[in-house]
Amino acid sequence: GEEYPGPDLLKAFCRAGVDCTIGTDAHSPREVALGLDRAVAALREAGYDRVAVPTRDHDRRYLGLDDLSVSAASAAARV
């Protein structure tokens, strides 16, 4: 798969202070974390160090990209 937005737009968003999040187009449980490592690498390259995570009360909390890297490794090990 291909990440969207692409590198140039992602860098522009980061410079503008736009929060980011990571989504998936998984069609089965085995695919949920597929490509997460590439998405984290793209965010780092663009200048991000965290992602926004929506909460049930329509707010957001933040997770560091290092935390996501650990989560991706754990998810991959479970499949």
Side-chain angles (χ1 to χ4, degrees), residues 9-78:
L9 189 53
L10 198 57
K11 287 177 186 174
F13 286 156
C14 185
R15 284 192 306 270
V18 176
D19 285 337
C20 68
T21 190
I22 297 176
T24 179
D25 187 32
H27 293 265
S28 74
R30 297 179 66 88
E31 298 173 346
V32 169
L34 191 64
L36 184 60
D37 54 342
R38 288 193 327 260
V40 168
L43 291 171
R44 283 188 200 284
E45 181 67 27
Y48 283 99
D49 61 358
R50 67 183 190 173
V51 293
V53 180
T55 62
R56 289 179 191 223
D57 61 354
H58 305 287
D59 199 4
R60 69 189 76 148
R61 65 185 180 99
Y62 295 94
L63 290 177
L65 293 181
D66 291 337
D67 297 327
L68 290 178
S69 298
V70 170
S71 297
S74 298
R78 286 189 301 249

